[in-house]
Amino acid sequence: MQRFTAGFNPNHPRYALFRISSMLFSPILWRSLYVMPNLLAAFGMFVVGVMAWRYRTQRAGMYLLIFAITAAIWAFFEGMSYIVSSAEEIYFLWQPEFIGVCVAPLALVLFAIEYVGYGRLITRRRLLALSVLPAITLLASWSNGWHGWIMSGIEMDFSTPIPTLANTSGPLLWIYYAYCNLLVLATIAFLLQRLPEFPPLQRRQVHLVLIAFSLPLLAAALYMTHLTPLRNMSLIPLAFNFAGLVLICGFLRERMFELAPVTAHEIYSSLEDPVFVLDDTNRILDFNGAALRLLQLPDAKLIGQPLPSLLPGTACLLSDYHAEHPGEVILHNDLYYDVRVAPLQSSGKRLSARLLVWRDITERKHLEADLYRLATTDPLTGLYNRRYFLERGQEEMRRARRYGHPLSLVMLDVDYFKRVNDSYGHEIGDHMLIKLAHILTNQCRTSDYIGRIGGEEFALLLTETSSATAYEVSSRLLESIRNARILLDDGKYVGFTVSAGVATLMTIDKGFDTLLRRADDALYHAKDEGRDCLMLSKMENV
Ligand code: GH3
Ligand code: MG
Ligand code: MG
């Protein structure tokens, strides 16, 4: 203040502006302008790193964590380098700073690719290839004293408001800068090209990445052309930090880790159900891994092949091009599939291609078959149970009436079965019932129905069979049963007989139960006659 001439009062409010401008030139303020943004950015990135720690198990989270830590290191040491004032000290700080310089840009690019759902493109090999130049640059930065590839000379620039390291980038650093810019540019170009593929919600995320990525590009351009507002102050670490912050904001706003966009292809290939895309002549245009396993053919042979020639079971399903309803396909190896056919659409436009989604329903089919068997048959003999036999009987009766065909019913009951149980035990009794079931099954036609309708009572429904034929058939059956033997535990054999009653459908039969009652009456008649014999219902003549 002594420099001011007498009569000039710098404390006068009139000179406030002057006072402020002279303060602006104070070295401390200048230094803060270089230092503070970097320290703030380092702190910001540190916070981001803490936040990203939670998500480190996801790949995007891991890239973000690596980016945040290395970007924080970068900004912190960049800030520190404006506090020290000798070239040696700055150079010393560059050693740790280069960890950030060499890792953060790549980590941010990887994070952005993962963020927009193209993480599958980052294979281990590609990652390795992308890391080569950053690794070389890092090693070179640590051994710069020998070759000067990173900094061609280490000298201070005193023309800046505070002493800074002169911008003397060596050849390798130029190459590395160009590489980073190319990486960022390539990512931008890739995203721009793919932008139309993204649904609107995810398009916002891509826009965010594009905005964030243009910042480091701008900063690099300014630094290279010496156009930074503060001379020799690199804005690149700030720009990368800021880009990271923009993405973090997106993350907070859209909770992107929960909503991480997934591309259709990823869903498609990770599906456990086989999926095919066919053209309008049913040739395969695309397929997923599960589809390949279904066909058990080499990958290369599939594209262009007509699906019905590989899987004949699909021919019927695919014959109607406009059918969209699901169909069932049974493959040769007894596998059941539910196949859904859907036309492919692209932005509202129908394409001449169809999507086939297969679902393995073999287990369900087997379960259904088991349930059906349990509901319709008797577990001991495997014959139809009473309920199912009556159902079939009613239907056959209606059919016989409609076409005027004969229909006969035979009721059979094992004679003195209680004695068999009492003398030889229940197990032998069961064997006897199974044996009887075998004889009935072997001697009847497939068009006949055989049911176990009581403990030791059986019924035969003989379709297209007159009273006389039914009598003949039953006589033969009784003969076979008479000759059958059951092996006992002591090696001896025991035989058994049955009594039978036969009734043939007549106009007086109101329903199947009437026919059943008549056959039953005839059976009791046979029992009364001394058993091991056959009686016709009283209302019929042979
Ligand atoms: P009838 O000649 O008059 O028909 O005499 P029966 O002894 O055969 O007739 P009854 O109705 O008195 O006895 C039938 C026996 O069948 C009674 C029951 O314990 C037995 N039984 C019913 N279901 C089964 C089965 O699933 N296994 C065995 N072992 N026995 C059964
Ligand atoms: Mg009985
Ligand atoms: Mg009996």
Side-chain angles (χ1 to χ4, degrees):
M1 295 297 165
Q2 298 94 316
R3 278 182 280 141
F4 298 116
T5 48
F8 170 76
N9 178 8
N11 291 329
H12 192 279
R14 188 183 327 157
Y15 297 111
L17 250 176
F18 177 78
R19 273 203 318 280
I20 289 169
S21 61
S22 69
M23 269 164 66
L24 265 180
F25 290 101
S26 99
I28 301 249
L29 253 175
W30 276 119
R31 204 175 285 278
S32 325
L33 277 179
Y34 278 85
V35 174
M36 287 320 285
N38 283 300
L39 289 190
L40 273 174
F43 178 72
M45 274 306 122
F46 175 74
V47 175
V48 169
V50 171
M51 271 169 46
W53 180 254
R54 256 181 69 194
Y55 302 100
R56 67 192 180 281
T57 50
Q58 296 174 29
R59 285 225 297 195
M62 180 48 89
Y63 294 140
L64 183 60
L65 182 65
I66 294 174
F67 168 73
I69 293 170
T70 50
I73 292 174
W74 187 358
F76 177 77
F77 286 102
E78 178 77 13
M80 285 296 138
S81 71
Y82 298 116
I83 294 176
V84 295
S85 45
S86 79
E88 286 70 30
E89 283 168 326
I90 296 178
Y91 180 65
F92 178 75
L93 291 175
W94 268 54
Q95 315 277 318
E97 186 178 341
F98 257 77
I99 297 174
V101 174
C102 296
V103 180
L106 181 58
L108 188 65
V109 166
L110 294 176
F111 167 67
I113 292 172
E114 195 75 46
Y115 171 40
V116 293
Y118 278 97
R120 74 196 147 78
L121 294 181
I122 312 171
T123 58
R124 192 173 284 227
R125 219 181 243 195
R126 285 179 184 163
L127 190 62
L128 214 69
L130 288 172
S131 311
V132 170
L133 191 60
I136 292 174
T137 310
L138 184 61
L139 291 177
S141 77
W142 291 338
S143 55
N144 185 63
W146 296 336
H147 44 68
W149 291 350
I150 299 296
M151 299 284 287
S152 52
I154 299 174
E155 58 201 56
M156 296 304 285
D157 183 350
F158 293 100
S159 64
T160 46
I162 57 163
T164 51
L165 203 63
N167 181 352
T168 53
S169 305
L172 185 56
L173 195 57
W174 282 103
I175 293 173
Y176 177 67
Y177 280 154
Y179 170 75
C180 285
N181 289 334
L182 265 177
L183 211 57
V184 170
L185 270 175
T187 313
I188 291 177
F190 174 77
L191 289 179
L192 279 176
Q193 186 205 346
R194 298 286 168 112
L195 196 59
E197 286 175 20
F198 287 91
L201 180 78
Q202 289 162 23
R203 228 170 271 176
R204 261 205 343 241
Q205 296 177 344
V206 180
H207 285 146
L208 212 65
V209 174
L210 290 177
I211 294 168
F213 269 26
S214 49
L215 297 171
L217 274 184
L218 187 70
L222 289 176
Y223 188 66
M224 300 281 170
T225 51
H226 300 270
L227 284 176
T228 38
L230 296 176
R231 229 164 92 76
N232 289 347
M233 181 192 187
S234 166
L235 295 178
I236 302 173
L238 285 180
F240 266 107
N241 276 282
F242 199 73
L245 273 178
V246 170
L247 291 186
I248 306 310
C249 290
F251 155 62
L252 287 178
R253 256 216 359 238
E254 295 159 29
R255 298 192 312 137
M256 71 184 173
F257 282 92
E258 280 94 306
L259 279 180
V262 195
T263 59
H265 194 274
E266 274 176 327
I267 299 174
Y268 171 71
S269 51
S270 67
L271 273 181
E272 280 181 23
D273 295 331
V275 177
F276 290 98
V277 179
L278 305 183
D279 71 1
D280 49 5
T281 57
N282 294 329
R283 285 177 314 184
I284 300 174
L285 294 176
D286 200 1
F287 55 90
N288 67 356
L292 200 61
R293 286 193 291 280
L294 175 82
L295 292 173
Q296 297 173 336
L297 278 178
D299 191 342
K301 287 201 173 157
L302 282 192
I303 301 281
Q305 294 254 26
L307 188 62
S309 72
L310 299 171
L311 296 174
T314 58
C316 181
L317 181 78
L318 296 170
S319 57
D320 180 4
Y321 186 73
H322 296 288
E324 286 175 21
H325 47 77
E328 276 182 15
V329 172
I330 307 170
L331 297 188
H332 48 277
N333 38 1
D334 205 22
L335 291 174
Y336 291 79
Y337 281 91
D338 169 85
V339 183
R340 267 150 215 281
V341 187
L344 279 183
Q345 303 211 318
S346 171
S347 18
K349 225 172 50 213
R350 210 181 156 110
L351 302 173
S352 54
R354 289 191 292 175
L355 185 73
L356 261 65
V357 183
W358 295 55
R359 201 155 49 87
D360 188 345
I361 52 164
T362 310
E363 204 174 324
R364 196 188 84 197
K365 281 281 166 191
H366 286 169
L367 261 169
E368 279 173 9
D370 284 352
L371 274 177
Y372 182 77
R373 200 168 36 73
L374 280 173
T376 57
T377 60
D378 156 52
L380 181 71
T381 59
L383 299 179
Y384 291 137
N385 62 21
R386 183 183 177 87
R387 197 178 54 82
Y388 188 70
F389 183 82
L390 295 184
E391 257 177 48
R392 299 265 53 88
Q394 273 155 7
E395 199 174 305
E396 283 305 323
M397 189 174 139
R398 273 197 293 274
R399 199 199 306 272
R401 283 244 158 96
R402 194 178 318 135
Y403 298 111
H405 289 166
L407 179 72
S408 291
L409 179 70
V410 184
M411 295 279 282
L412 302 139
D413 185 290
V414 184
D415 298 328
Y416 304 119
F417 190 58
K418 197 167 176 324
R419 280 193 216 161
V420 174
N421 274 335
D422 294 347
S423 316
Y424 310 111
H426 249 256
E427 212 176 314
I428 296 297
D430 283 356
H431 281 162
M432 203 168 268
L433 297 177
I434 294 167
K435 181 81 181 172
L436 176 55
H438 277 158
I439 296 170
L440 298 178
T441 316
N442 288 339
Q443 301 221 350
C444 289
R445 302 165 303 177
T446 46
S447 55
D448 298 332
Y449 295 90
I450 314 167
R452 182 185 177 201
I453 59 169
E456 25 74 271
E457 282 170 44
F458 296 80
L460 309 176
L461 188 65
L462 309 174
T463 55
E464 318 264 335
T465 306
S466 66
S467 180
T469 317
Y471 190 87
E472 248 179 68
V473 169
S474 308
S475 302
R476 264 205 315 271
L477 272 174
L478 257 62
E479 181 64 22
S480 302
I481 294 165
R482 213 172 282 130
N483 295 329
R485 291 290 174 271
I486 304 288
L487 179 63
L488 299 177
D489 294 340
D490 58 6
K492 290 183 185 152
Y493 287 92
V494 63
F496 63 104
T497 59
V498 297
S499 301
V502 180
T504 301
L505 184 65
M506 300 198 320
T507 40
I508 52 151
D509 294 320
K510 286 204 183 72
F512 191 67
D513 48 343
T514 326
L515 182 66
L516 205 69
R517 201 163 42 241
R518 285 203 295 115
D520 214 26
D521 288 347
L523 169 64
Y524 274 95
H525 190 196
K527 291 272 179 192
D528 287 343
E529 289 296 313
R531 297 174 168 81
D532 188 19
C533 65
L534 172 67
M535 283 293 154
L536 274 179
S537 169
K538 281 200 189 101
M539 289 169 221
E540 290 155 50
N541 300 310
V542 181

